[in-house]
């Protein structure tokens, strides 16, 4: 096809698109890679002739009308930064029907045809509620937790795991020097993925996750047996949502093994930092897919969730996405136990 034909086709596609103006927001806990997603949505949308409005402070900013128009330069030099250039919040007001109704009416006042919402479980559920007020919402999976059932990975998870790995390495240095056990608590809400992936890649001696009962005896016996074999330190990873509190686990290990035990809660460190290449790519590809969904006449103008399934970027109905349960890979915990025997 000649360049002129291609240009005509692009111009026709622009004028045919039902969507002329979109809003974009980030909501809930920030995650590394959100900026790559914002940049990709903004630039792909502008390229397709769509006006883009950034909404600050998530759904709360939406209710309060905090809109700023974005051009392609508004998103320059943001991809390498952690956090979100649009700011984020957890909005109590938006959880009410009145709040959702107000959000829908503000979008209408601003002439926004569709909203792109980047966030985790709460953001998706909020988007689904908003879609009931005839607002098309496209969701991108932005959370370190990796707890969304419809996507293999979420934007931010890979960076968070790498941050935990860096911490494990440093903690091991001091733990082995002092011949101690250190229990490291990681985030993830009710999902054990950060704990499992970090324990596996960091060679941890044990892992406790929300999805499985905790075998404290196994952990203690291992520490004692290792000690007899001359291995005098160990690192145990516990997810914040595990069925035992970190302090209780520490006390129990101390009581049974009579050894020195320390605890480290990594907390918000895991949410910050420059995003890994995997998170920048996932954010960028999901952003481009969101705009494809908004402009492709094969997609009805409705609500969708963008994610990755079996390595492919896909769009599925938002209703289906919020109802999909996550499969926990129990066999990975088995592997951690085999490798650390
Ligand atoms: O969902 C991301 C997350 O970091 C969870 O892992 C954690 O439980 C929660 O957010 C902490 O939330 P907040 O920022 O409100 O303290």
């Amino acid at each position: 096809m000649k360049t002129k034909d291609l240009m005509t086709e692009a111009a026709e596609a622009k004028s045919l698109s039902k969507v002329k103006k979109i809003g974009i927001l980030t909501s809930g806990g920030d995650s590394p890679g959100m900026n790559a997603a914002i940049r990709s949505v903004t630039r792909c949308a502008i390229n397709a002739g769509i006006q883009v409005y950034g909404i600050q402070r998530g759904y709360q900013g939406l209710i309060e009308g905090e809109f700023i128009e974005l051009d392609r330069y508004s998103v320059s030099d943001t991809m390498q930064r952690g956090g979100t250039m649009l700011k984020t919040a957890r909005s109590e007001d938006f959880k009410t029907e009145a709040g959702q109704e107000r959000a829908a009416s503000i979008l209408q006042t601003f002439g926004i045809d569709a909203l792109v919402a980047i966030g985790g479980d709460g953001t998706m559920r909020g988007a689904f509620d908003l879609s009931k007020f005839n607002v098309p919402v496209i969701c991108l999976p932005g959370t370190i937790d990796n707890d969304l059932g419809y996507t293999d990975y979420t934007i931010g998870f890979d960076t968070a795991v790498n941050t935990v790995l860096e911490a494990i390495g440093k903690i091991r240095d001091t733990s082995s020097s002092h011949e101690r056990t250190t229990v490291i608590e990681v985030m993830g809400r009710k999902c054990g993925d950060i704990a499992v992936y970090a324990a596996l890649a960091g060679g941890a001696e044990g892992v406790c996750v929300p999805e499985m009962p905790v075998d404290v005896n196994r952990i203690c016996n291992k520490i004692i047996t290792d000690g007899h074999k001359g291995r005098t330190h160990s690192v145990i990873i516990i997810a914040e949502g595990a069925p035992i509190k970190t302090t209780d686990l520490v006390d129990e290990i101390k009581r049974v093994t009579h050894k020195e035990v320390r605890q480290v809660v990594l907390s918000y460190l895991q949410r910050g930092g420059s995003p890994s290449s995997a998170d920048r790519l996932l954010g960028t590809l999901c952003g481009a897919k969101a705009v494809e969904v908004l402009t492709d006449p094969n997609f009805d103008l409705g609500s969708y969730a963008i994610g990755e399934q079996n390595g492919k970027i896909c769009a599925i109905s938002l209703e289906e996405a919020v109802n999909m349960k996550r499969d926990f890979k129990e066999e990975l915990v088995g592997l951690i136990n085999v490798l650390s025997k």
Side-chain angles (χ1 to χ4, degrees):
M1 205 185 271
K2 289 185 202 136
T3 320
K4 197 176 164 209
D5 296 339
L6 277 172
M7 283 171 68
T8 318
E9 203 177 77
E12 274 171 5
K14 276 184 189 179
S15 61
L16 280 177
S17 173
K18 287 172 256 174
V19 177
K20 307 281 180 215
K21 215 190 251 189
I22 59 169
I24 178 167
L25 58 78
T26 48
S27 166
D30 61 338
S31 69
M34 279 183 162
N35 287 331
I38 297 167
R39 173 180 179 269
S40 177
V41 170
T42 303
R43 291 197 170 167
C44 290
I46 290 171
N47 193 51
I50 298 172
Q51 242 183 316
V52 183
Y53 279 84
I55 302 164
Q56 293 192 295
R57 297 181 185 79
Y59 292 125
Q60 192 59 38
L62 169 54
I63 291 174
E64 289 166 16
E66 292 188 56
F67 289 58
I68 35 160
E69 187 169 359
L70 301 178
D71 61 27
R72 44 182 305 113
Y73 302 107
S74 317
V75 291
S76 299
D77 292 329
T78 56
M79 196 158 48
Q80 72 280 14
R81 291 196 213 128
T84 159
M85 60 170 282
L86 290 175
K87 311 266 188 262
T88 186
R90 299 191 194 276
S91 171
E92 286 306 314
D93 294 340
F94 186 73
K95 286 187 184 152
T96 66
E97 214 175 293
Q100 291 150 18
E101 204 174 344
R102 177 154 172 75
S105 107
I106 298 247
L107 287 168
Q108 206 181 19
T109 309
F110 276 82
I112 303 285
D113 301 308
L115 177 70
V116 176
I118 308 169
D121 187 50
T123 305
M124 298 237 166
R125 287 181 194 283
F128 183 55
D129 292 337
L130 187 61
S131 71
K132 294 177 192 151
F133 292 87
N134 288 326
V135 178
V137 193
I138 314 293
C139 285
L140 269 62
T143 167
I144 61 165
D145 298 338
N146 212 36
D147 59 348
L148 303 174
Y150 79 94
T151 182
D152 297 344
Y153 294 105
T154 56
I155 303 161
F157 171 67
D158 183 68
T159 309
V161 171
N162 282 316
T163 302
V164 177
L165 284 181
E166 207 183 315
I168 292 177
K170 290 179 176 167
I171 289 164
R172 244 189 220 295
D173 288 346
T174 171
S175 207
S176 66
S177 304
H178 284 265
E179 303 185 289
R180 287 172 178 157
T181 288
T182 308
V183 177
I184 306 177
E185 182 187 296
V186 300
M187 279 185 165
R189 284 198 322 146
K190 294 273 166 235
C191 179
D193 279 18
I194 296 181
V196 168
Y197 280 66
L200 204 47
E205 281 68 38
V207 67
C208 306
V209 292
E211 295 86 347
M212 292 172 75
V214 174
D215 190 347
V216 183
N217 281 338
R218 187 195 163 276
I219 293 172
C220 294
N221 287 339
K222 176 167 167 45
I223 293 169
I224 295 167
T225 327
D226 278 357
H228 293 152
K229 291 183 199 152
R231 184 180 175 87
T232 52
H233 84 278
S234 47
V235 168
I236 311 294
I237 309 292
I238 179 168
E240 62 179 355
I244 182 169
K245 276 197 198 144
T246 305
T247 44
D248 292 346
L249 178 65
V250 167
D251 289 347
E252 194 57 12
I253 300 174
K254 272 186 200 160
R255 191 185 66 78
V256 177
T257 65
H258 305 290
K259 291 191 189 275
E260 264 195 281
V261 188
R262 294 287 189 269
Q263 80 172 60
V264 177
V265 180
L266 291 180
S267 186
Y268 296 101
L269 270 180
Q270 296 157 95
R271 289 229 299 249
S274 181
S276 65
S277 60
D279 283 329
R280 294 184 201 196
L281 285 171
L282 186 58
T284 300
L285 296 177
C286 286
K289 185 75 181 178
V291 176
E292 186 192 317
V293 165
L294 290 168
T295 50
D296 185 343
N298 294 322
F299 282 95
D300 293 333
L301 187 52
S303 293
Y304 297 91
I306 312 292
E308 181 183 331
Q309 290 181 348
N310 302 318
K312 274 193 146 182
I313 302 297
C314 60
I316 65 164
S317 102
L318 185 57
E319 180 164 15
E320 200 185 322
V322 292
N323 288 314
M324 273 172 89
K325 294 268 167 292
R326 183 154 189 86
D327 280 338
F328 178 70
K329 298 189 184 81
E330 226 170 271
E331 67 278 9
L332 294 184
V333 175
L335 183 57
I336 292 165
N337 292 341
V338 169
L339 295 175
S340 64
K341 242 184 199 162

